[in-house]
């Protein structure tokens, strides 16, 4: 049994969070993860408040366990979304793509536990000062929008910088990764890519097949020139995008437009010509499609074995 | 007064003692990204033993100086 202080803090059985992935993390996936003992998250992506309210209510009908919502702070509807979270009494909110300062006070007063995703010690300290319950320190091995730091150096430095609990993310795909994250000082982990192939995940079967087929070297970074690099599988789309990006004659607006909707196309249509299949570097470790419950049980059992085995090196 | 101190902090942060900084300098012009901005604002706050709201847009050095002046007034 893997138990950390995060379990009591978030009222969950295992210290495993499922990442909020746009066009992927919906009510069905979040509820499945929460039912399996982790903390499921719905991604509010760029959706409006009505879509989010429906998803939250749907998740409530599928689980009586706590679940959370990931808020993308650049969402144009973010003010209304912030209020829906309060109205629906969502227990946990994670934030990405921006500074949650504006909403922190509001959410904390409403009893919501706020857990910002941070790429540096500075933002971690800032979040702690603003009243965050914990932080998710995410390394650039992860899929989707990534920071510069990688997980191995980031986690211990964030742990040293703050006194609130630290959740590790980025590059964690199995029990070995979870055990390592705990050894670095984290008290929980967040996984995204591993859940892409879950039976409960509502994405095109091509997306899942691509993850299963992926090798270690099959992800790439694009969008660096736009200031927000994205890690995804190498596909025709990503190759074309990087080519356009490296061409000095391509205006940034054209690139932005090119990338717009590409994740939706990957998730819903499975089209590798036009779709951006976001995935982390652990994609190469994923060999089979499983139910969420199987994934979480496997992860916790592996973690236990690895942690117990660690003592063999202590003489 | 505030500006002088902020400039000193900026110069130390970038380790460039002859860095030209005015109220109108943007963080971008000084080659500081959003993560640097967070670091710097916290350092500046500590130096003035105060805290400023970072919920609005902070683009220029002047923005920070104005917020600090308001906070310590």
């Amino acid at each position: 049994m893997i138990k950390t202080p995060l379990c009591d803090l978030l009222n969950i059985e295992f210290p495993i969070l499922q990442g909020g992935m746009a066009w992927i993390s919906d009510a069905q996936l979040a509820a499945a993860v929460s039912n399996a003992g982790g903390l499921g998250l719905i991604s509010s992506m760029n959706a409006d408040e009505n879509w989010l309210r429906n998803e939250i209510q749907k998740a409530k009908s599928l689980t009586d366990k706590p679940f959370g919502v990931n808020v993308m702070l650049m969402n144009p509807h973010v003010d209304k979304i912030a209020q829906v979270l309060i109205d629906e009494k969502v227990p946990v909110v994670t934030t990405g793509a921006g500074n949650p300062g504006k909403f922190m006070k509001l959410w904390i007063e409403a009893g919501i536990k706020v857990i910002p995703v941070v790429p540096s010690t500075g933002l971690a300290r800032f979040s702690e000062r603003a009243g965050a319950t914990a932080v998710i320190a995410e390394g650039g091995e992860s899929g989707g929008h990534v920071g510069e730091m990688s997980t191995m150096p980031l986690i211990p430095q964030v742990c040293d910088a703050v006194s609130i609990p630290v959740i590790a993310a980025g590059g964690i795909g199995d029990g070995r990764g979870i055990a390592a994250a705990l050894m670095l000082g984290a008290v929980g982990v967040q996984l995204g890519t591993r859940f892409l192939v879950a039976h409960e995940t509502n994405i095109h079967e091509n997306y899942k097949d691509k993850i299963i087929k992926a090798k270690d070297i099959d992800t790439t970074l694009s969008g660096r020139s736009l200031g927000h690099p994205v890690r995804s599988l190498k596909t025709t789309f990503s190759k074309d995008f990087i080519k356009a990006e490296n061409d000095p004659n391509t205006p940034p607006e054209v690139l932005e437009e090119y990338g717009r909707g590409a994740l939706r196309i990957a998730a819903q249509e499975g089209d590798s010509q036009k779709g951006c299949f976001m995935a982390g570097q652990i994609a190469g470790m994923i060999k089979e499609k499983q139910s969420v419950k199987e994934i979480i049980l496997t992860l916790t059992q592996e973690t236990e074995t690895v942690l117990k085995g660690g003592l063999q090196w202590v003489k | 007064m505030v500006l002088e101190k902020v400039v000193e902090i900026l110069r130390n942060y970038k380790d460039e003692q002859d860095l030209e900084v005015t109220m109108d300098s943007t963080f971008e012009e000084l080659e500081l990204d959003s993560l640097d901005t967070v670091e710097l604002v916290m350092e500046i706050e500590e130096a003035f033993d105060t805290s400023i709201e970072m919920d609005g847009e902070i683009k220029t050095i002047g923005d920070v100086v104005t917020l600090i002046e308001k906070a310590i007034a």
Side-chain angles (χ1 to χ4, degrees), chain B residues 13-43:
Chain B
Y13 185 87
K14 291 205 51 151
D15 205 13
E16 290 175 35
Q17 293 312 319
D18 47 3
L19 185 72
E20 295 258 344
V21 186
T22 67
M23 288 288 271
D24 295 327
S25 309
T26 64
F27 282 89
E28 204 183 341
E29 284 163 5
L30 297 168
E31 291 172 336
L32 297 161
D33 65 15
S34 60
L35 297 182
D36 290 315
T37 309
V38 171
E39 286 284 349
L40 267 165
V41 168
M42 284 194 303
E43 234 176 80

Side-chain angles (χ1 to χ4, degrees), chain A residues 99 101-103 105 119-123 125-127 129 148, chain B residues 35 38-39 41-43 45-46 50-56:
Chain A
N99 171 6
K102 186 175 163 191
F103 303 110
K105 214 182 272 173
S120 69
T121 57
L123 261 184
R125 285 197 296 139
F126 178 77
S127 302
R129 207 185 65 181
E148 291 283 344
Chain B
L35 297 182
V38 171
E39 286 284 349
V41 168
M42 284 194 303
E43 234 176 80
E45 286 175 333
E46 277 158 23
T50 184
S51 74
I52 58 177
E53 294 285 330
M54 270 189 41
D55 50 8

Side-chain angles (χ1 to χ4, degrees), chain A residues 226 250-258 260:
Chain A
L226 297 172
T250 314
E253 310 85 71
V254 171
L255 270 186
E256 289 275 6
E257 194 51 43
Y258 194 32
R260 209 183 306 281

Side-chain angles (χ1 to χ4, degrees), chain A residues 28-111:
Chain A
Q28 183 172 305
L29 177 59
V33 171
S34 291
N35 279 331
L39 186 83
L41 290 168
I42 296 170
S43 166
S44 72
M45 48 183 181
N46 260 327
D48 67 16
E49 67 278 13
N50 296 322
W51 179 89
L52 182 63
R53 192 180 296 109
N54 277 338
E55 285 298 307
I56 293 171
Q57 288 171 355
K58 189 172 164 200
K60 282 179 183 167
S61 74
L62 296 170
T63 184
D64 52 8
K65 304 269 178 63
F67 61 88
V69 171
N70 173 256
V71 177
M72 216 268 293
L73 293 158
M74 277 157 67
N75 180 332
H77 311 281
V78 69
D79 290 307
K80 284 177 178 156
I81 292 234
Q83 188 57 42
V84 168
L85 301 171
I86 296 170
D87 297 343
E88 293 291 331
K89 300 188 166 50
V90 172
V92 180
V93 169
T94 66
T95 62
N99 171 6
K102 186 175 163 191
F103 303 110
M104 291 288 274
K105 214 182 272 173
L106 214 61
W107 286 336
I108 292 165
E109 275 169 15

